[in-house]
Structure formats: structure tokens, C-alpha cells
Amino acid sequence: MDLPHSVQEDADIFRFKMSQSMMDELFRFAKIHQYEDRDTFKESWATWTSDMEEMISQETDRLRSLHYRGDIVAKMFKSTKYYFCNKSMAETNPVKRKAYDEPNRELLDLMDAFVVSVYTIPPKHGFSQFCTLYAKDEGDLKLKKMFKNRHYRIVREHAK
């Protein structure tokens, strides 16, 4: 969605991102000098910044045009030293989400009816009474969580 030009100019930027080409160069530098001690790393940084002076100047101009007020070279150094050096190059596989186990609708209705009748007592005691009355296992953590959630929702609804 394109915003009108005047709205775009007035929008505040909270995270100033460097260009992808600069990020690639910083990452490359970080991986080369990743295991150097602090003093050697700073010396390598000074050499690299003098070698990359033109690119750093272009990035500085770009960020200044976006109204960045901080020290750009210090921002680059911190990104390199504390982010890119510690970033792993290994591919990570996304964790597959477990399938949602839908609770039994009859059980939920039973809980709701019970909670409505005893919503003034604490959920801990209400759950004990529910388990005793309906022969449910008090050690079932999933059932306990479900009961407390239903209790919270009903109490909140009655408070309105």
C-alpha cells in the first residue's frame, strides 16, 4: 500500500536497516575475523573500514537521508562484532507444529455449566469438586488447564 508522499515523510523509523550489500560485506568480514581477540579484531576493523571507505560513505549518506542520527560506523561495528560473529551459518529446519487436539464439546459444555454454578469459588477448589463429581482424574494437567481457562473466561464475562 502506497502512502501519500507527505505521510511517508512524516512517518517515524524505529529500526534503521543497512542495505543488503552492506550487510553482506559486514557478514563476510565477521566470518573471516570471527575468532580473533578483541584488539586484533579492532585492528582488522580499522583496516577494513579504510578499504571500504567508499561503500561506508554511501551507506552513511543513505542512512542520513533517512534521518538516522547515531554513529553509523559504530552501528556497523556492533552489528558485526555482536551479531554477525555469533550468527550460525547452519541451516535450521523449522519446527513442525503439533496438530491441535480439539477437546470434547460435551466436556466443555459440562465444565461451563459447572463453572457457572460455582464461579465464586477459586478455580483450584472448583476443579477438585468437578473431578470428584464427574469422576475425572485430578492429575490430568490438560484437563486442569482447560478447566481453569474456562473458569477465567466465565468469571471475566460475569464481571462485565
Side-chain angles (χ1 to χ4, degrees), residues 6-139:
S6 61
V7 174
Q8 283 180 334
E9 287 179 16
D10 295 338
D12 290 334
I13 298 175
F14 296 107
R15 180 181 292 166
F16 290 88
K17 295 183 179 181
M18 289 178 262
S19 65
Q20 189 59 47
S21 59
M22 179 54 77
M23 298 278 275
D24 292 342
E25 288 298 324
L26 292 173
F27 186 77
R28 192 173 299 119
F29 173 84
K31 288 302 159 191
I32 292 170
H33 302 282
Q34 181 174 10
Y35 300 108
E36 293 179 355
D37 63 82
R38 185 171 177 79
D39 293 331
T40 309
F41 189 88
K42 282 186 172 183
E43 290 171 12
S44 300
W45 178 256
T47 304
W48 184 83
T49 53
S50 65
D51 292 345
M52 301 297 286
E53 195 170 328
E54 185 178 328
M55 186 175 204
I56 292 171
S57 175
Q58 290 172 356
E59 190 66 19
T60 301
D61 293 342
R62 189 183 76 77
L63 289 173
R64 291 277 180 242
S65 70
L66 295 172
H67 305 291
Y68 181 74
R69 287 173 275 196
D71 184 352
I72 296 169
V73 177
K75 177 181 175 66
M76 290 178 190
F77 178 81
K78 289 174 188 171
S79 295
T80 304
K81 179 75 175 148
Y82 303 108
Y83 177 69
F84 292 127
C85 281
N86 298 328
K87 188 173 182 181
S88 173
M89 293 182 61
E91 290 282 327
T92 58
N93 294 331
V95 177
K96 189 168 185 171
R97 190 173 184 176
K98 291 191 294 186
Y100 179 68
D101 187 17
E102 182 96 22
N104 182 350
R105 188 73 229 167
E106 293 168 2
L107 178 64
L108 291 177
D109 291 340
L110 190 65
M111 269 187 199
D112 289 347
F114 182 80
V115 169
V116 166
S117 66
V118 296
Y119 77 91
T120 56
I121 65 173
K124 176 181 179 181
H125 300 298
F127 180 66
S128 295
Q129 289 177 8
F130 178 80
C131 289
T132 304
L133 185 63
Y134 294 105
K136 301 290 182 186
D137 179 23
E138 278 191 60

